[in-house]
Amino acid sequence: MDGNSNLNHDEIDLINLFKSLVESWKLILSITCFFTILGVLYVKSTPLTYQAVARLQVETQHQHLDFHVNDISNLFISQSTANTEIEIIKSRMVLGRTVDNLNLTLYSSPIFTPIIGKKIAYFLGDVPEIKVSLLITPENNKSSGNRGGNYIVKISDAKKGLYDFFNKNNELIFSGKVGKLVNKNGYQLLILQLDGKAGQKFIIKELNRYNTVSSLRSRLSITESGKDTGILQLSLIGNNPLRMENILNDIANNELAQNVDHNALEAAKSLAFIENQLPEVKQELDIAENKLNAFKVSSDSVDIDYQAKSTLNVLASVESKLIDLGFKESEISKLYTKEHPAYVSLLQQQRALLKRKAELENEVSAMPKTNQKIITLNRDVMAAQHIYISLINKVQQLRISQASTVGSVRLIDSAETSPAPIKPKKALIVVLATLFGGMLSIAIVLLKKTFMRGIDDPRQISSLGLPLYATVPYSVNQSKLLKKNKSSSEFNEEVMLLACLYPDDLAIEAIKSLRTSLYFSISTAKNKIIMISGSSPDLGKSFLSKNLAIVFSQAKKKVLFIDTDMRKGKSTKVFNLKSKNGLSEYLSYQTNLDEIVQESNIDNLDVISCGCIPPNPSELLMGNRLSELMEWANENYDIVIVDTPSLLAVTDAALVGKYVGANFLVGRFKKTSIHEIEVAKERFHHAGVEITGFILNSVEKKISNTYGYYNYSYVDK
C-alpha cells in the first residue's frame, strides 16, 4: 500500500458515509414514513386531555391593636398564607366534600377489547359513553368501607335506550331504560346517558372514598402565580371538560365556605363566652349600687363636696383605663410575647396608670371617713358600670363581625377549560416521530456501513497487493434466471449460461473485457491454463468461469472447461452432458483421457465434468494423472478454464493451482471480507501458488463506489 492511499482518509470516509446515505434513500424514506404513520396513528388513537383552570386570591390580614379604639373584630380574622391555603385545599376536608357532592366514587367506563380496543375506538371516533347518576346495591356499606363489587351494563337496544344490568358473576339482575330510576331487589340504578352499539358493555363500580380523594389530589395542581402574590392557580386535567369544570368549581366553593366558617368560628366562641358573663357582671353592678344607696341612707349623706367628687372622677377614669388595658393585654398576649414593642408599650401605660392610681388613693385616704366610704362605694359602682358597658359594646361588635365575615380567600376566576387540548401535542408528536424515524434509519445505514465486512472499494484490493482485473456488475437477468430455476421442478440446463441467453448483459460485457485482459496476460504465462478460485462459497466463481469459457469460445478460441469441484460440481447439468465419465473417474484410473472430454452444445467449447463424487477428492488431485491432464489440455486447446471449489473450505484449489499459468481469485461485492482474501492469499502462498489477479463480482452501482460499471479492465500492477 503506497503512501498516497493514506491521504484524506477521514475526508473520504465522511464522503463515503454521506454517499451511503444517499444510496439508501429508499430505506431511510420507508423507515421515516413508517414512524410518521405510527405518530399519526398514535395521536389519532389517543384520547384528548384538557386542562381546566380556576384562580383564587389569598389575602393576608395584618392584625393590629388600636389602644384608643375598643375594636376586637380584627382579632378573629385568620392569618392566611398561600402555602397554608394550598395544603388546606388538598386536604380531605375540602376534596372529600367535592367527592361526596359530585358522587365521584361512582366509577363507570366502557369495556374495550384488551390492548387495542380503546385505541381503535378513539381512532375511529366511536367511543361509547355512559353517565350514571345513582347506584345503590345491597353490598353498599359506607361505614365499613365495603363499596360492593363490579357490575356490568350491556346495551340491549341502542335506539330505545334499553339495557341489561349484570352482577360480577354475569347474572342478570334486571333490565332498565335510560333516564328511568330502577329500584328492584335492593338495587337502585339511574343512568342518564348511554351511547353505543347494541351489545356494548360498560363496567360500573363504587370506588373507595379514600382512594378517590387521593386520586383527585394527584390530578389537582395548585401553584402560586409569582412570588408572594397570594394568587393561587388551580388546574385539573382530564378527558371531560365539563366534568372537570364542575369538579374544580366545587373545590373552589368548598374552600371559600370553609375559610369563611373558620374565620367566623372564633368570633362566635368569644361572643358566646361574653354573653355568658354579662349576667354575672350585671349582678355585681346591682350589688355595688345597692351598697352605695344603703350607705347614703344610713349616714344621711346626700352628696360629697366638690374636691371629693373631682378626685372620684379622676380615680374612676384611671381605673376604667386600667380595665381597658387589662382587656387589651389578654388580647395582645395571644399574638405577641412581652418583648414585642406593642406589648412593651401597653405595660408602660399600665405602670403609669397604676402610679397615678396610687397617688389618688393617697389623696382619698386624707379625706374624712365618710367621704372615703362614699368614694370607695362610688368607685365600685363606676368600675362595674364600665365593665358592663364594655362587654355590651363587645357583644355588639362581635355580632357585627360575625355577620359581616367574608373570609380571607376570594374567587377571582371560576373554572374554565381551554378549547385546545394540552395533550397529545399532535403536530409535535408527528414531527418528533418523523425525526426519530429519520435518525433511526440514518443510524441503521451508518451502522451497517461501519460494521459491513465486505469489500466495497477497489482500493481495499490494491492495498493487499492484488491487481484488480475486472469488476463484474450485478446482473438482474441472472437473478431472474436463478429465481426461475428455483421455482421450476426441473433443472434448466441453460440457467447459468447468461452469455448464451443475454449476450448484451452488462455482466457479460464485463466478462468480455476480462477476456481481453486475460488473453494478453496468459501470453507471458507458463501455460494457457486459467484457474478461477474463491475463498468461500456463493461468490459467483462458477458463474464467472463458465461464462468466461463461453465468451472465449465465441471469440473462435478452442476452449476446454474443467470442473475440479468433485464435491458439488454442476457442470454436467449446466452443459447437458453425460454424467458417467468425468474427472473423478479419470484421476482414479477408471477411464481414459479421450473418454472424459465431452463436446458441449456450444461451438468450440469442450467440457470435462467433475464426475461422480469420490470419497477422497483431495487425494485424487495429488496424483500424477492431474499433471498429465493439464499438460495434454495445454497442448490441445487455446484456452483452458479450470473451476475449483472454495479454498477456505477444502485444499483442492491449492493443489490444482500448481499446474496453472494464471490464478484469479474471485470476491463478491460487500460480502467477501479483507480477512478472507488475506487468508486465501496466505494459503496459496504456502502452497507455492501465486495469485495473478482479483475479480470483484456482483458489483452494485452505488454513488459511494469510486468506479463504475464500464471500467471493466482496471488493473493495478
Side-chain angles (χ1 to χ4, degrees):
M1 186 175 180
D2 54 34
N4 293 334
S5 62
N6 291 326
L7 296 176
N8 300 327
H9 257 310
D10 293 338
E11 181 179 353
I12 292 174
D13 289 340
L14 292 175
I15 292 175
N16 285 340
L17 289 177
F18 175 75
K19 289 180 179 179
S20 298
L21 296 178
V22 178
E23 292 165 4
S24 305
W25 68 271
K26 291 184 178 179
L27 175 64
I28 295 175
L29 181 61
S30 61
I31 295 178
T32 303
C33 291
F34 173 74
F35 277 91
T36 302
I37 294 173
L38 284 183
V40 173
L41 292 177
Y42 174 79
V43 298
K44 289 285 289 182
S45 60
T46 302
L48 300 178
T49 301
Y50 297 88
Q51 182 180 39
V53 177
R55 293 165 70 89
L56 299 175
Q57 181 184 10
V58 179
E59 297 177 346
T60 302
Q61 300 289 342
H62 298 285
Q63 292 182 345
H64 63 278
L65 292 176
D66 187 350
F67 299 118
H68 302 288
V69 180
N70 194 13
D71 182 8
I72 65 171
S73 61
N74 286 334
L75 292 174
F76 308 110
I77 299 179
S78 62
Q79 305 299 295
S80 300
T81 63
N83 291 333
T84 302
E85 291 301 326
I86 289 175
E87 295 304 318
I88 292 175
I89 296 173
K90 289 185 176 182
S91 67
R92 287 198 303 273
M93 176 180 64
V94 175
L95 298 184
R97 291 180 184 176
T98 298
V99 169
D100 297 336
N101 294 341
L102 302 180
N103 199 16
L104 299 183
T105 55
L106 183 56
Y107 172 82
S108 58
S109 173
I111 298 177
F112 297 100
T113 303
I115 302 176
I116 62 173
K118 187 174 183 179
K119 292 289 185 181
I120 294 176
Y122 277 99
F123 179 79
L124 298 176
D126 186 19
V127 183
E129 294 184 11
I130 185 172
K131 185 176 181 181
V132 182
S133 176
L134 174 66
L135 174 64
I136 298 177
T137 67
E139 295 85 0
N140 282 148
N141 188 353
K142 296 184 179 181
S143 61
S144 63
N146 181 11
R147 312 296 288 181
N150 299 338
Y151 297 90
I152 303 297
V153 171
K154 181 180 178 181
I155 300 177
S156 57
D157 192 327
K159 293 183 179 179
K160 296 181 180 180
L162 302 179
Y163 63 86
D164 296 326
F165 185 64
F166 300 87
N167 60 16
K168 60 183 178 181
N169 298 323
N170 205 28
E171 298 172 347
L172 179 63
I173 301 176
F174 56 78
S175 297
K177 186 175 182 179
V178 175
K180 291 187 177 181
L181 175 64
V182 180
N183 188 349
K184 187 175 181 181
N185 300 329
Y187 292 89
Q188 294 185 42
L189 177 63
L190 175 58
I191 298 179
L192 301 180
Q193 180 182 359
L194 191 62
D195 297 331
K197 299 178 181 179
Q200 174 65 50
K201 294 181 179 180
F202 301 84
I203 183 172
I204 304 176
K205 61 181 178 179
E206 281 281 344
L207 302 176
N208 179 272
R209 185 178 185 273
Y210 180 88
N211 293 336
T212 305
V213 172
S214 298
S215 175
L216 179 58
R217 183 184 296 116
S218 64
R219 293 165 48 209
L220 179 65
S221 175
I222 308 176
T223 57
E224 184 177 8
S225 301
K227 184 178 181 180
D228 298 329
T229 60
I231 305 297
L232 301 184
Q233 177 171 296
L234 285 67
S235 60
L236 187 68
I237 60 175
N239 306 124
N240 191 324
L242 181 59
R243 181 178 174 85
M244 290 188 303
E245 289 180 2
N246 293 336
I247 293 175
L248 207 54
N249 282 327
D250 194 80
I251 292 174
N253 291 332
N254 291 336
E255 163 62 11
L256 295 178
Q258 72 82 26
N259 183 262
V260 172
D261 293 343
H262 175 71
N263 289 339
L265 180 61
E266 189 172 351
K269 290 182 178 180
S270 298
L271 178 62
F273 174 77
I274 294 177
E275 287 179 340
N276 290 332
Q277 297 298 316
L278 278 176
E280 296 181 6
V281 175
K282 181 64 170 62
Q283 185 178 5
E284 293 177 358
L285 175 60
D286 292 340
I287 294 173
E289 289 178 344
N290 292 333
K291 288 182 178 180
L292 176 62
N293 293 331
F295 180 76
K296 287 182 177 180
V297 172
S298 62
S299 60
D300 295 329
S301 175
V302 177
D303 204 352
I304 57 176
D305 58 21
Y306 176 79
Q307 181 181 1
K309 183 178 293 188
S310 175
T311 303
L312 175 61
N313 291 335
V314 175
L315 184 58
S317 175
V318 171
E319 289 184 339
S320 297
K321 290 181 180 180
L322 284 173
I323 292 172
D324 290 338
L325 288 180
F327 281 121
K328 296 294 184 182
E329 183 179 7
S330 64
E331 295 164 359
I332 201 173
S333 62
K334 300 176 183 177
L335 303 175
Y336 309 116
T337 63
K338 290 186 178 182
E339 288 76 20
H340 192 275
Y343 209 134
V344 172
S345 176
L346 184 144
L347 294 178
Q348 289 176 349
Q349 293 182 51
Q350 279 185 332
R351 286 193 293 269
L353 290 174
L354 289 173
K355 182 178 179 182
R356 178 56 178 161
K357 179 182 177 181
E359 293 175 353
L360 292 173
E361 288 179 344
N362 290 333
E363 292 181 8
V364 171
S365 61
M367 295 181 181
K369 291 184 178 181
T370 301
N371 288 347
Q372 292 182 23
K373 185 65 175 179
I374 293 176
I375 290 175
T376 301
L377 293 175
N378 273 290
R379 282 173 54 192
D380 293 340
V381 171
M382 295 177 69
Q385 286 178 342
H386 184 79
I387 293 174
Y388 182 73
I389 293 173
S390 296
L391 291 179
I392 293 294
N393 291 334
K394 292 180 188 297
V395 168
Q396 297 300 324
Q397 292 175 8
L398 288 173
R399 286 175 178 173
I400 295 173
S401 175
Q402 185 180 27
S404 61
T405 300
V406 295
S408 59
V409 178
R410 68 188 182 100
L411 180 65
I412 299 177
D413 295 325
S414 60
E416 188 173 356
T417 303
S418 171
I422 60 172
K423 60 182 180 179
K425 302 289 187 181
K426 296 184 177 181
L428 179 61
I429 290 176
V430 173
V431 170
L432 291 178
T434 303
L435 291 176
F436 178 78
M439 291 187 292
L440 179 63
S441 59
I442 291 174
I444 291 174
V445 172
L446 295 180
L447 287 174
K448 184 178 178 181
K449 175 72 176 178
T450 303
F451 294 102
M452 184 183 64
R453 298 171 60 248
I455 298 171
D456 64 345
D457 194 322
R459 289 172 298 183
Q460 294 174 286
I461 308 298
S462 301
S463 66
L464 298 175
L466 295 177
L468 182 62
Y469 267 71
T471 59
V472 180
Y474 171 79
S475 174
V476 177
N477 292 323
Q478 179 65 16
S479 178
K480 291 179 180 179
L481 290 174
L482 290 173
K483 291 180 180 179
K484 182 179 179 181
N485 179 68
K486 290 180 180 179
S487 61
S488 176
S489 58
E490 296 182 0
F491 188 87
N492 187 350
E493 62 270 10
E494 294 183 341
V495 72
M496 298 294 291
L497 303 180
L498 184 66
C500 296
L501 298 176
Y502 300 96
D504 296 330
D505 191 272
L506 288 177
I508 299 302
E509 292 295 335
I511 294 175
K512 289 178 181 179
S513 179
L514 174 62
R515 175 188 63 187
T516 303
S517 300
L518 295 181
Y519 184 78
F520 291 104
S521 295
I522 61 175
S523 62
T524 58
K526 64 180 181 179
N527 55 41
K528 297 173 286 184
I529 303 174
I530 301 173
M531 182 175 74
I532 306 297
S533 60
S535 57
S536 59
D538 300 326
L539 302 180
K541 167 180 54 61
S542 297
F543 163 77
L544 289 174
S545 60
K546 291 179 177 65
N547 284 281
L548 182 61
I550 293 173
V551 297
F552 266 115
S553 67
Q554 291 173 347
K556 307 302 180 182
K557 299 295 181 181
K558 189 177 180 181
V559 181
L560 175 64
F561 178 84
I562 303 176
D563 186 358
T564 63
D565 189 354
M566 292 181 285
R567 292 174 173 82
K568 296 182 179 180
K570 298 180 180 179
S571 57
T572 302
K573 293 183 179 180
V574 172
F575 291 105
N576 195 19
L577 305 174
K578 298 177 182 180
S579 59
K580 63 178 180 178
N581 290 323
L583 181 61
S584 62
E585 285 80 10
Y586 173 75
L587 296 179
S588 61
Y589 296 91
Q590 297 179 28
T591 185
N592 296 323
L593 185 60
D594 55 350
E595 295 178 356
I596 64 173
V597 179
Q598 302 183 57
E599 293 183 2
S600 69
N601 53 4
I602 301 172
D603 295 339
N604 302 319
L605 178 59
D606 293 339
V607 179
I608 297 178
S609 67
C610 59
C612 298
I613 300 176
N616 53 349
S618 299
E619 286 74 7
L620 293 178
L621 292 173
M622 295 174 66
N624 295 327
R625 273 211 147 189
L626 179 61
S627 176
E628 296 174 2
L629 174 61
M630 294 300 182
E631 291 178 2
W632 174 85
N634 184 56
E635 293 174 358
N636 291 275
Y637 290 90
D638 297 327
I639 296 292
V640 179
I641 305 296
V642 180
D643 184 18
T644 63
S646 302
L647 177 63
L648 301 185
V650 294
T651 60
D652 296 7
L655 298 174
V656 177
K658 297 178 181 180
Y659 307 103
V660 303
N663 175 23
F664 290 92
L665 189 63
V666 177
R668 192 179 184 92
F669 183 74
K670 289 190 176 181
K671 181 176 181 181
T672 305
S673 66
I674 292 294
H675 177 69
E676 289 181 8
I677 299 174
E678 291 176 340
V679 173
K681 182 179 178 182
E682 184 178 356
R683 289 196 180 182
F684 274 128
H685 178 71
H686 289 322
V689 179
E690 295 297 328
I691 300 176
T692 306
F694 191 86
I695 302 173
L696 187 58
N697 185 34
S698 193
V699 177
E700 299 175 13
K701 190 172 184 179
K702 302 287 184 180
I703 298 175
S704 59
N705 295 351
T706 55
Y707 49 93
Y709 284 163
Y710 297 94
N711 185 18
Y712 299 131
S713 57
Y714 171 76
V715 180
D716 185 8
K717 292 185 177 180

